[in-house]
Amino acid sequence: MHRPIDDPGFEGEGFGGEGNGAVPPPYRPHPAPGEPSGPRADAPESRGDGSGPRGDDSGLRLEPAGPRTGVPGSRSGPTGPRAGDPDPAAGPWADTHGAPDPDRVDPRVLGALLARHGWRRRGGAAGRYSRWTPPGAGTGTSLLVPESRAFPDCDDLLGEALAALTHSATPSAREVLTGLAVPSDEIRWWRDVPPGPAGTVPWTVREQLGSAARQLLLAGALAVRGRAGYYGARHRRAAQASLEGVLVGASPGGRGLTAFLPVDTGRPIAVRLHHALHAAREAVDYQRATGGTEAFDAAVEAGVSRELTEALVALVRGTEGARIALEWAPAAGPPEGCAARPEPVEFSPGDLPALREASARYRTGEPSVPVRLTGAVVRMRRSGPRGAGTVRLRVLGGAEVPHVRVTLDEEAYRTAGHAHLVGLPIRVSGRLESRGGFRRLTDASEVVPVQVDETERDRLMKALHENLDFFEEACGPED
């Protein structure tokens, strides 16, 4: 039931659990049917709050991929790999086919993971091995786990325990195997929602949980890149790339979700979320007690932002409460400055007004940023043959955003057009405006062409010829 979160796209589709304990195929992004794989010069821009054209705040899209290779004990998915797709086995989960090698498993780590996921220890030979039974009623195959590698038959017992976990129908067995395959910190979400017919959870509720979880992970990844009350389009591409190694699994009931963040690549995100969630909880308590929102200003340094408060709103909205818990990888231990067993953080519908007020405060309070950026012109538009016009730039350097729009006077507009026609980017100074999600440059000045090497120039010229339909000086108002 594990899926990688790795999509840098703009339109979000939710995901939910299958509810049968089986492990579905991994997910990875693909363009929508008929959509070009690269950015279009005339594609609609995301709204200022970081959402895509359909309003998904996470900016992530997940679609079914080919054979499952990133989860222990996996089987092939319903669809095969597509031409040009990235290798689905890439990343930290590339070498995790089948059950983990007993020689590489620490019995103490296995015991810690079994206890974490609800397995019960029921005796055994003291100092030699322990017996573990599945959670719940305790039905199913029990496991014999050696206490340490000093036990003579340690490898045999570990091999038998891992094989039993691989074939177990208990959903938590998959999570234990995942934790053994790659040392990972675990983030869990629970939502208290009214049950549907026969105790089921509606698909839309599962989608809401998946979308909120993605938004929260993205907020944590953004906070790792730097502290800000509102990021907009800034750092988004790098933050999404840092989530490529994250796997997500849904609980059978559909009310919970677990994300596995590999320690090597995902621990900074887990640590930042740990601090940010507790800071957000304290700021909400302060606002509800005193009516003041100044605690949210101090919480920015801990990683709280508009993106995080909006994720919490999406998580809590429509529920009777939500809870987020974080547990560190047993093989790596807790990070410095964090509790060994962090307390879960809970939010209720009564917290929503404070979270919404903080979100609005962050959006209006984040200042514009002075920048001097370099970008390639991908679209030009003005209302007539002369005068000022608007240029869209694909940012090559100087700002952590993929594209910006900038209004230029007649001379600067002509300079930008000539530079593009000969395959050169331009350099421009101005202020990156927060009001549009940091996608618009104002007070533009010092527009000059930038010399680049022949390889980059040839690539820019090729892009021009391939996108002639999108590059035009069209009469009429700006879209």
Side-chain angles (χ1 to χ4, degrees), residues 17 65 71 207 253 275 288 297 321 337 343 365 367 382 397 412 415 443 462 477:
V71 179
E207 277 191 321
H275 293 303
R288 295 188 67 176
D297 296 335
E343 291 292 327
R382 61 182 174 182
T415 300
D443 301 330
K462 182 180 179 181

Side-chain angles (χ1 to χ4, degrees), residues 39-424:
R40 280 182 47 181
D42 63 345
E45 291 199 13
S46 301
R47 296 200 306 264
D49 59 357
S51 62
R54 294 185 186 178
D56 184 280
D57 292 334
S58 68
L60 304 172
R61 179 174 64 222
L62 305 176
E63 296 188 43
R68 295 171 28 223
T69 56
V71 179
S74 62
R75 299 169 297 183
S76 295
T79 60
R82 307 183 188 182
D85 285 344
D87 180 5
W93 308 92
D95 299 322
T96 57
H97 308 284
D101 184 354
D103 293 336
R104 302 174 60 183
V105 173
D106 186 336
R108 294 169 298 180
V109 172
L110 175 56
L113 287 171
L114 289 171
R116 171 181 297 178
H117 293 284
W119 290 64
R120 298 182 179 181
R121 182 170 178 167
R122 299 184 181 276
R128 304 186 69 184
Y129 64 84
S130 55
R131 182 179 296 277
W132 295 81
T133 58
T139 59
T141 304
S142 62
L143 309 177
L144 289 179
V145 179
E147 294 287 346
S148 69
R149 287 200 167 272
F151 187 65
D153 296 332
C154 174
D155 287 342
D156 292 339
L157 286 178
L158 282 175
E160 292 173 3
L162 296 173
L165 284 172
T166 302
H167 296 93
S168 174
T170 304
S172 62
R174 300 296 189 266
E175 297 185 336
V176 172
L177 288 171
T178 302
L180 288 173
V182 175
S184 306
D185 299 323
E186 300 178 22
I187 302 177
R188 301 176 183 278
W189 295 266
W190 290 273
R191 300 176 88 222
D192 187 2
V193 294
T200 59
V201 175
W203 172 249
T204 54
V205 173
R206 297 190 182 195
E207 277 191 321
Q208 291 164 6
L209 173 58
S211 177
R214 290 197 303 272
Q215 291 179 54
L216 197 66
L217 287 172
L218 184 61
L222 287 167
V224 171
R225 306 292 300 178
R227 306 293 187 272
Y230 175 43
Y231 294 94
R234 295 181 297 169
H235 307 295
R236 188 165 293 262
R237 182 181 298 169
Q240 289 167 335
S242 68
L243 297 174
E244 290 180 354
V246 177
L247 293 189
V248 173
S251 67
R255 291 178 174 83
L257 204 64
T258 303
F260 297 85
L261 284 73
V263 171
D264 290 343
T265 58
R267 172 148 285 190
I269 300 173
V271 171
R272 186 47 48 207
L273 278 176
H274 166 71
H275 293 303
L277 288 170
H278 284 276
R281 179 66 266 172
E282 293 174 1
V284 169
D285 290 340
Y286 180 86
Q287 195 274 348
R288 295 188 67 176
T290 67
T293 58
E294 55 269 21
F296 282 102
D297 296 335
V300 171
E301 187 58 32
V304 181
S305 63
R306 180 179 191 270
E307 284 73 10
L308 186 129
T309 55
E310 285 293 296
L312 291 175
V313 169
L315 180 68
V316 176
R317 185 175 51 227
T319 73
E320 298 176 5
R323 182 160 50 114
I324 308 163
L326 195 150
E327 295 181 277
W328 311 114
E336 184 178 356
C338 297
R341 292 182 174 85
E343 291 292 327
V345 183
E346 299 184 5
F347 294 91
S348 68
D351 299 325
L352 290 176
L355 290 170
R356 291 190 174 108
E357 185 177 350
S359 177
R361 179 185 178 93
Y362 284 139
R363 183 173 183 180
T364 57
E366 189 69 18
S368 301
V369 181
V371 295
R372 182 172 174 81
L373 59 83
T374 302
V377 179
V378 294
R379 187 172 179 87
M380 303 184 73
R381 183 179 292 272
R382 61 182 174 182
S383 58
R386 295 187 179 278
T390 300
V391 174
R392 189 169 188 236
L393 302 178
R394 178 169 57 84
V395 178
L396 304 176
E400 289 284 346
V401 293
H403 295 86
V404 297
R405 290 184 183 271
V406 52
T407 299
L408 302 175
D409 60 30
E410 182 173 358
E411 182 178 353
Y413 186 84
R414 185 181 302 112
T415 300
H418 290 166
H420 184 76
L421 291 174
V422 297
L424 293 177

